[in-house]
Amino acid sequence: MDAPRTIDFPHRHLLDIEGLSAQDISALLSLSETYVELSRRTEKKLSHLRGRTQINLFFETSTRTRTSFELAGKRLGADVINMSVEGSAIKKGETLIDTAMTLNAMQPDVMVVRHHDSGAVDLLAQKVQGSVINAGDGSHAHPTQALLDALTILRRRKTLAGLLVAICGDVLHSRVARSNILLFNTMGARVRVVAPPTLLPTAVERLGVEVHHDMRTGLKDADIVMMLRLQTERMQGSFVPSPREYFHFYGLDRQKLACAKDDALIMHPGPMNRGVEIDTDVADDIDRSVIREQVEMGVAVRMACLDALMRSNAAARAERAA
Amino acid sequence: MTKGARSGQRTAYINARLLDPANGLDEAGALLTDGAVIADIGPRLFAEGPPEDAAVVDCGGLCLSPGLIDMRVFLGEPGAEHKETIASGSQAAAAGGVTTIIATPDTDPVIDNPALVEFVIRQAQDTAAINVLPMASITKGCEGAEIAEMGMLAAAGAVAFTDGQRTIGDASVMRRALAYASTFDLLIDHHAEEPDLAGDGCMNDGEVATRLGLAGIPAAAETIIVERDLRLVELTGARYHAAGLSTAGAVAAIREAKKRGLWVTCAIAPHHFALNELGIGDYRTFAKISPPLRSENDRQAMVDALKDGTIDVISSAHTPEDTESKRQPFARAAYGTVGLETLLPVAMELYHRGHLTLLEVIGRLTARPADLLGLACGRLERGAPADLLTFDPDMPWRIDAEALRSKAKNSAFDGHPVQGRAIRTIVAGEQVYSAMDAA
């Protein structure tokens, strides 16, 4: 790790999986691999990003994603500032551009932004000089989650190509599902979505997925079973009759899991609603569940993203100056 | 501002292509105005040269038609003068060849009592370059609950009734509103979007919304209200006009109702036949409009409905918004696009693409709305108001939002190449806009 690799990452921001090529994704994932090893050492700190400023700007509450980005930045030696705008008295929409301009004036090299509105991070990225990483916008995109899911799978499987991935549950409100569908399709995996129609967005099949409403057929022969959190906080009105009915038909338990391949991996982006979309027994199965490993991979992937963006941008700046 | 030329003040418009949809006239000729009215018109007029006492305007072979009548325009006055005033909106209209604006009542306060109708009329007389006629609300405060004083509002000068961008969700309120309006033979102009089904949707429901992670408004939200309203029209016998339709289902319902002999009409805004949902691109809030830009299939159905006459009127749905209301995450941004200055050139697309004749396009912008509203303008006839437009149907130009005269610059057509432009706008015999002066 002493002679850091650089990667060719021709993007100023990381806002979405859309727009990334298979090469871009592979490059980020292989850089991430190196950071997995680093994070398992006792001495975890590097100095690649020493002197760089990273601002984590969260308009929506988050513990794990924010912590993960914070650790990632610190392990690379960056100065990391956390700003949480959620819950402030000011109306959130109104402050977005102003907040962006204000923070931009402090010359951050990268801003990591989460917002409850789809497209809000794109809007903010148009107003700032540095790089922007989308840490989740509305129901639109969560690219680092998709990357960390891919990395988690790649540590257990040689390749993503040809795998059958079943994404189950609240696809309608899920930015994780959208980013994963894009990433897996780009990398040559087959994707299914499994949910009642009330939790599927209109024309979801047009994203290149097979649609199933029954867990047994949806999970049949799946290599990966990816459960999504039922996002009750985004629901206005009734999308499912009750958590109990939802668990009965769509919660992952031993019986339904038996339809998937014997060695199928169980994933969940967290935080889990145990007993709603996933049975505790299955979630904690150390042979099958990689849910905790996803969290670990999250730090490595975010290190790679920060590194790729800041160093490729620094290179671009140097080139322009020359 | 006192509008109009004095009686005896005569202007001869010569060397024009006369376009009068009301009389099916499309021929070279000339027109004479005397004061605020049309004194004479005809292909052979001034065969011996124009009268000596008249000022002469040589149209250079360009089209001379009635000035446009825009049936759906939101002006910010009263209450949102920072977005648009009656004065600024009227300047934008003049530059777009529009001589009569029908203003929506969803202002602040809502135009739901006779004093406010009179305020708009007076304000227009004092400050507007063109004719501004108010609509009043169907329900008090546009809240969809209690019927406004339609009889008195009409007596005060309201030319039609609408709740603006609001839909009356309660079918029994709508039934009573239609029944009551029929007493006085008033026109009900309704924005058709089922409010609960639209929910917190902010664009057309479908693949694009799914990719962008935005909540969608299904096409059925429009169709359901139009179909419901048509049933209520059958019950009540009212005069009903569906404002700015956007879906194949809704125009099919209107088409079928017309066949059954119901007195119903409908309008479309240019963005619904010229753009589709892809105009939103990566969260372009200028393309956030109500009803939303729809699928390409819907757009084509709108063109077909214009061709077969199902759609009677083209109106701009001019909705000025300030920068702050549009520079927001998509779901939070305000709805609407300005349209007064782009109405004519975008409508010309229908002619240039061979969907409609020039006379048919102009008819949907002049004679047809005049008929629905019972206005004397919108035709080239002796004694009719001298509200006129000369325009070049072919002139190519690129729409530049910053160059618009409207206070607001939120144009969904910013940057679009178009063909056709107003050259002179004349209200009551007096020129209120000239492209030559503007250039």
Side-chain angles (χ1 to χ4, degrees):
Chain A
M1 291 312 298
D2 304 312
R5 293 172 43 191
T6 51
I7 68 160
D8 183 26
F9 189 72
H11 303 276
R12 185 170 142 212
H13 306 300
L14 178 63
L15 300 177
D16 197 352
I17 294 295
E18 197 173 4
L20 297 187
S21 65
Q23 286 84 344
D24 293 336
I25 292 168
S26 297
L28 283 174
L29 292 176
S30 75
L31 183 61
S32 304
E33 275 288 352
T34 66
Y35 288 128
V36 177
E37 303 315 318
L38 173 88
S39 294
R40 287 182 177 175
R41 292 205 234 151
T42 319
E43 175 52 55
K44 299 180 173 65
K45 191 122 173 166
L46 293 178
S47 57
H48 297 7
L49 302 185
R50 191 165 60 198
R52 306 292 177 80
T53 306
Q54 170 189 341
I55 298 181
N56 296 335
L57 177 57
F58 279 64
F59 292 88
E60 190 181 71
T61 41
S62 153
T63 313
R64 62 176 68 210
T65 305
R66 208 213 63 218
T67 311
S68 181
F69 270 108
E70 184 175 354
L71 266 180
K74 285 182 169 166
R75 283 183 186 169
L76 290 169
D79 296 318
V80 184
I81 311 292
N82 289 312
M83 265 200 69
S84 182
V85 189
E86 217 275 335
S88 90
I90 320 157
K91 266 200 199 156
K92 291 149 202 164
E94 283 171 356
T95 64
L96 178 64
I97 302 274
D98 286 341
T99 311
M101 303 294 262
T102 306
L103 293 178
N104 187 50
M106 300 178 194
Q107 310 280 342
D109 299 279
V110 63
M111 287 168 74
V112 175
V113 187
R114 168 170 287 192
H115 198 282
H116 35 72
D117 286 326
S118 300
V121 182
D122 294 51
L123 180 64
L124 184 141
Q126 294 163 22
K127 310 285 172 193
V128 301
Q129 251 91 59
S131 293
V132 174
I133 296 179
N134 184 357
D137 65 320
S139 307
H140 174 230
H142 194 352
T144 58
Q145 178 72 41
L147 287 163
L148 76 87
D149 289 340
L151 182 65
T152 307
I153 295 168
L154 280 175
R155 292 184 61 85
R156 306 287 184 109
R157 301 284 185 274
K158 280 194 203 70
T159 169
L160 300 174
L163 292 182
L164 180 56
V165 182
I167 301 177
C168 312
D170 187 359
V171 177
L172 179 64
H173 298 97
S174 178
R175 52 199 176 210
V176 174
R178 283 173 179 75
S179 284
N180 268 314
I181 290 168
L182 289 166
L183 186 144
F184 286 123
N185 278 335
T186 306
M187 303 310 281
R190 269 175 67 196
V191 185
R192 282 183 191 157
V193 293
V194 192
T198 49
L199 292 178
L200 289 173
T202 308
V204 67
E205 70 284 353
R206 301 286 291 272
L207 305 187
V209 298
E210 289 170 38
V211 180
H212 291 266
H213 303 308
D214 182 323
M215 285 287 271
R216 279 163 309 186
T217 59
L219 293 192
K220 192 171 184 311
D221 300 327
D223 296 286
I224 311 292
V225 179
M226 187 176 283
M227 301 308 297
L228 297 173
R229 193 168 59 85
L230 198 61
Q231 297 192 50
T232 42
E233 74 281 6
R234 286 188 199 276
M235 294 183 184
Q236 303 203 327
S238 173
F239 288 80
V240 291
S242 69
R244 143 177 119 162
E245 169 144 341
Y246 183 73
F247 183 74
H248 181 74
F249 290 101
Y250 295 97
L252 187 67
D253 55 17
R254 289 275 167 211
Q255 245 182 335
K256 293 180 196 114
L257 182 59
C259 302
K261 280 195 181 151
D262 290 341
D263 62 348
L265 301 178
I266 300 163
M267 305 181 77
H268 192 298
M272 285 183 278
N273 298 312
R274 291 170 185 265
V276 178
E277 71 260 352
I278 190 162
D279 192 32
T280 288
D281 172 44
V282 176
D284 297 339
D285 181 341
I286 50 164
D287 296 324
R288 309 288 295 278
S289 168
V290 291
I291 295 169
R292 226 150 299 149
E293 202 168 317
Q294 287 174 273
V295 179
E296 184 191 352
M297 294 307 119
V299 179
V301 155
R302 283 157 186 143
M303 289 173 78
C305 294
L306 287 165
D307 191 12
L309 283 178
M310 283 205 248
R311 283 203 282 165
S312 69
N313 273 350
R317 267 198 303 276
E319 217 166 273
R320 272 200 303 275
Chain B
M1 202 184 289
T2 29
K3 271 189 294 284
R6 281 188 315 279
S7 178
Q9 197 178 326
R10 306 209 293 171
T11 306
Y13 296 86
I14 62 164
N15 195 16
R17 176 177 171 187
L18 299 172
L19 287 173
D20 183 25
N23 296 294
L25 174 73
D26 178 359
E27 230 177 316
L31 183 145
L32 179 70
T33 64
D34 185 341
V37 297
I38 297 171
D40 210 350
I41 175 178
R44 281 162 296 278
L45 188 65
F46 311 142
E48 265 102 79
E52 281 180 14
D53 65 334
V56 174
V57 174
D58 187 340
C59 298
L62 293 181
C63 297
L64 174 62
S65 75
L68 310 185
I69 301 168
D70 192 340
M71 262 187 86
R72 181 160 275 256
V73 174
F74 174 80
L75 297 170
E77 195 171 349
E81 287 83 356
H82 62 291
K83 294 178 181 174
E84 194 88 281
T85 59
I86 289 173
S88 70
S90 81
Q91 290 298 334
V98 176
T99 52
T100 301
I101 280 177
I102 314 301
T104 58
D106 47 344
T107 44
D108 181 16
V110 166
I111 309 301
D112 62 359
N113 76 58
L116 286 163
V117 171
E118 284 157 13
F119 166 80
V120 175
I121 292 171
R122 200 168 52 245
Q123 196 69 358
Q125 274 163 357
D126 293 347
T127 67
I130 59 141
N131 307 306
V132 176
L133 304 175
M135 287 194 274
S137 67
I138 302 169
T139 63
K140 288 176 188 158
C142 292
E143 279 170 1
E146 292 173 68
I147 307 170
E149 298 165 323
M150 287 195 249
M152 286 166 72
L153 289 159
V159 295
F161 292 81
T162 181
D163 274 1
Q165 286 204 19
R166 301 266 201 99
T167 301
I168 297 172
D170 184 326
S172 71
V173 172
M174 188 62 181
R175 178 191 180 173
R176 280 196 292 270
L178 287 165
Y180 191 74
S182 71
T183 322
F184 305 103
D185 198 27
L186 305 175
L187 182 68
I188 295 289
D189 172 333
H190 200 211
H191 177 80
E193 183 173 277
E194 214 295 315
D196 293 321
L197 191 53
D200 51 10
C202 56
M203 69 169 290
N204 185 43
D205 195 32
E207 182 190 347
V208 182
T210 292
R211 284 185 185 277
L212 293 172
L214 294 171
I217 301 170
E222 179 170 291
T223 316
I224 286 170
I225 290 295
V226 169
E227 288 180 344
R228 179 202 74 175
D229 286 355
L230 292 171
R231 297 291 165 199
L232 296 175
V233 168
E234 256 171 321
L235 277 182
T236 57
R239 296 171 61 210
Y240 176 81
H241 176 75
L245 294 181
S246 65
T247 63
V251 288
I254 297 278
R255 183 179 292 125
E256 196 267 337
K258 284 183 169 183
K259 271 195 198 129
R260 278 189 287 143
L262 283 189
W263 198 104
V264 293
T265 55
C266 66
I268 188 170
H271 39 263
H272 285 125
F273 62 74
L275 300 176
N276 64 28
E277 60 190 339
L278 295 174
I280 288 169
D282 281 334
Y283 305 103
R284 232 178 125 242
T285 58
F286 282 11
K288 180 178 176 181
I289 298 167
S290 177
L293 297 180
R294 297 289 185 183
S295 69
E296 177 57 16
N297 282 343
D298 283 310
R299 191 195 67 79
Q300 284 174 12
M302 305 320 277
V303 172
D304 291 340
L306 277 157
K307 280 158 88 167
D308 72 10
T310 301
I311 297 176
D312 303 87
V313 169
I314 302 171
S315 52
S316 73
H318 181 78
T319 308
E321 282 298 338
D322 55 299
T323 316
E324 280 59 47
S325 308
K326 283 288 190 181
R327 259 194 2 179
Q328 297 268 4
F330 196 88
R332 283 163 202 276
Y335 286 97
T337 172
V338 291
L340 280 166
E341 288 158 89
T342 53
L343 177 63
L344 177 69
V346 179
M348 279 294 128
E349 256 187 45
L350 296 166
Y351 158 64
H352 289 296
R353 299 201 172 167
H355 299 311
L356 297 181
T357 65
L358 199 47
L359 212 51
E360 285 169 334
V361 177
I362 296 302
R364 284 161 177 73
L365 292 162
T366 57
R368 205 67 190 108
D371 288 346
L372 301 192
L373 296 162
L375 305 178
C377 57
R379 59 200 67 235
L380 300 184
E381 284 168 11
R382 267 181 221 141
D387 294 348
L388 307 170
L389 162 67
T390 70
F391 67 98
D392 180 341
D394 301 317
M395 182 194 282
W397 59 294
R398 193 177 287 274
I399 292 167
D400 172 10
E402 284 309 311
L404 297 177
R405 295 191 169 200
S406 177
K407 262 195 183 183
K409 311 298 177 194
N410 56 307
S411 173
F413 292 104
D414 189 22
H416 281 239
V418 286
Q419 262 186 287
R421 189 156 202 176
I423 301 298
R424 281 175 206 276
T425 307
I426 294 114
V427 174
E430 196 162 58
Q431 182 173 302
V432 293
Y433 171 80
S434 159
M436 280 75 89
D437 301 343

